[in-house]
Structures are given as structure tokens and as C-alpha cells.
Amino acid sequence: MAGLPKYRKVYETLRRGLAEGRYEPGGLLPSENELCRTFGTTRPTIRKALDILTAEGVIVRQEGKGSIVQGISKEFRILSRKSTTSAMSGSSMETKLITGPELRQWEEAFSFPISEQEKRAGCIYFERLRIIDGAPLILDVTMLPNIGLPRFISYDLNDVSLFELLRTKYNIDVTGGTQQLFAIPADKRIHTLLNVRQGYPVLQHNRHIETSREGFGFYSQLLCVTRNFALRG
């Protein structure tokens, strides 16, 4: 975490503790004064880190009580701005890289137009298969503008959250975006990768994802077999 602002280091440390179960859901985080002593920093810095955790929904802050732990979500919330790697409750997810990451030229990103700057820069393209409880259910195609992401193609993207990689390596947070939903028939490639018959109805979920880095967004397309789970948002 070298080079990160102090509040980001506090946030990352607390978030890791929440993900590892160090703080039980329903319990309290240490008080702001205790966190100040632990991290050797000021209350405004601690509050900034807690504000991010609150915005993510992993804690709830109540005046006079403190920061109540909600826990890292394990539901599959495909319609939220949380990472696709967050799996359904009680399920295990494997993320398998099948194409890339590689540099490509592009003229558009799925159903979204792209800027002239993005066209000139090209994109970092990769495809990953999401396997839930042993069944391939999602083909995840991502296109990142090749802008300000040094060494990205050197990272191993198997069983890795893209949102967390961007956050921890590049200080980029996902803040929102635009999404489009379609129902399409499975073609030969989807039939092969997602193990459904050709023509089977598949959800196509296109996303233009906005981030905390000014002028930087990226694009993804999820092709989903939804027979075994409901979408949450």
C-alpha cells in the first residue's frame, strides 16, 4: 500500500479485516479514538476511511453507538456497483481468465460510444468465465481504456476482483455508471462456454462504469445464465 494516502491505508486495512471476519456482523468497529491510536493518525483521516466503508454498506454509523459492522456482502448483486466477484450467499465462485489481457484497437464498447481519446489510446481487453458452485454461469468481457494503467496486463486476473485491483493498485474507485439489459439467444460460443443449448435465452448486461478518476471509465458485458439465481440490485 506504499504511496496510498493515509485514509486509504486505514480503509484498506479495515476492509481486509471485515472481509476476513475479524469484525463480526452486528458488532462494533473500534471507536474513532482507538483507531486514531492504532493507526497513529487524526480523527478526520479515520472518518474519511469510515465514510467510504459506510458508502459501500459494510458498516452503519450511529451517533452515540459507533460503527456497526454489516459485513462484506456475499450475495450476487449483478445490478449494483459492487464487484461481480462478490458471490451469492452460500455459493463459491471461481473466476477463470480465458482471453487476454491484451491491447486492442476499438471503435465502440459494446452498445456505448467512446471518446476520441479512448479510440486513440486503445483498450485493454480480456474475458473471464465466472463459475458458481461448479457451473459456468457468466461470461464477463471487459474493455479498459489504455490510459494511466501501467503494467496492468502483467497482473494475474484469475480469481481476482477487477474493482479491488483498480482500487488497490491504481487508487481508482467505482462510483456508478450506466447499464443496459437485453435478452438474447445463446450463439455457438455461449453454448460452448456456458453449457446451454443454442438459442437458450441469456441475459446480456452491458455496463459503462464510472470511477473516481476524472474522465476515466470502463466498459463490461456480462452474458449470464440466470436459471439458478435471481438478480439483486
Side-chain angles (χ1 to χ4, degrees):
M1 292 190 288
L4 288 180
K6 184 68 174 181
Y7 78 92
R8 296 288 310 192
K9 293 178 181 178
V10 174
Y11 160 77
E12 294 292 347
T13 301
L14 291 175
R15 196 178 193 285
R16 188 181 309 115
L18 289 161
E20 293 173 351
R22 202 173 306 153
Y23 307 107
E24 292 292 330
L28 294 174
L29 286 183
S31 70
E32 290 183 7
N33 286 337
E34 290 174 306
L35 292 173
C36 286
R37 289 193 294 272
T38 298
F39 291 100
T41 191
T42 62
R43 288 174 72 100
T45 297
I46 295 298
R47 286 173 180 167
K48 199 168 183 179
L50 295 177
D51 284 344
I52 302 174
L53 294 172
T54 302
E56 290 184 342
V58 297
I59 65 171
V60 173
R61 297 163 76 186
Q62 289 187 4
E63 188 173 355
K65 189 168 185 179
S67 299
I68 303 171
V69 176
Q70 304 298 295
I72 304 294
S73 174
K74 298 299 183 182
E75 293 181 312
F76 190 76
R77 294 176 179 266
I78 194 172
L79 299 177
S80 80
R81 64 186 178 95
K82 294 186 179 181
S83 168
T84 309
T85 303
S86 295
M88 295 187 304
S89 178
S91 301
S92 62
M93 176 183 281
E94 175 188 356
T95 301
K96 180 180 179 183
L97 182 69
I98 58 174
T99 302
E102 60 193 29
L103 298 179
R104 292 189 179 186
Q105 297 302 309
W106 57 343
E107 293 296 324
E108 61 180 10
F110 311 117
S111 52
F112 300 103
I114 60 175
S115 69
E116 288 302 319
Q117 181 189 20
E118 289 173 328
K119 288 180 184 179
R120 289 192 299 269
C123 76
I124 301 170
Y125 179 96
F126 55 95
E127 298 179 359
R128 299 189 294 175
L129 197 61
R130 309 287 188 162
I131 302 168
I132 301 174
D133 290 343
L137 294 183
I138 301 170
L139 175 61
D140 187 347
V141 184
T142 302
M143 303 172 81
L144 294 167
N146 186 28
I147 301 171
L149 299 175
R151 301 181 300 280
F152 185 91
I153 61 175
S154 67
Y155 289 112
D156 181 0
L157 299 179
N158 290 289
D159 290 323
V160 168
S161 163
L162 173 61
F163 289 12
E164 291 193 13
L165 179 63
L166 290 173
R167 189 181 72 246
T168 57
K169 300 297 183 182
Y170 300 99
N171 200 21
I172 296 174
D173 286 303
V174 168
T175 58
T178 303
Q179 53 193 355
Q180 300 171 339
L181 300 175
F182 307 91
I184 64 169
D187 60 15
K188 185 175 181 180
R189 188 161 189 261
I190 296 173
H191 150 73
T192 301
L193 290 173
L194 297 183
N195 194 28
V196 294
R197 60 175 173 79
Q198 291 191 52
Y200 187 87
V202 171
L203 175 72
Q204 178 180 296
H205 184 202
N206 295 348
R207 301 186 294 179
H208 175 208
I209 300 171
E210 299 168 353
T211 76
S212 58
R213 177 183 287 179
E214 185 175 358
F216 180 86
F218 61 96
Y219 307 86
S220 79
Q221 182 180 84
L222 307 179
L223 297 167
C224 315
V225 179
T226 59
R227 62 191 172 201
N228 293 326
F229 61 89
L231 304 184
R232 300 286 302 270

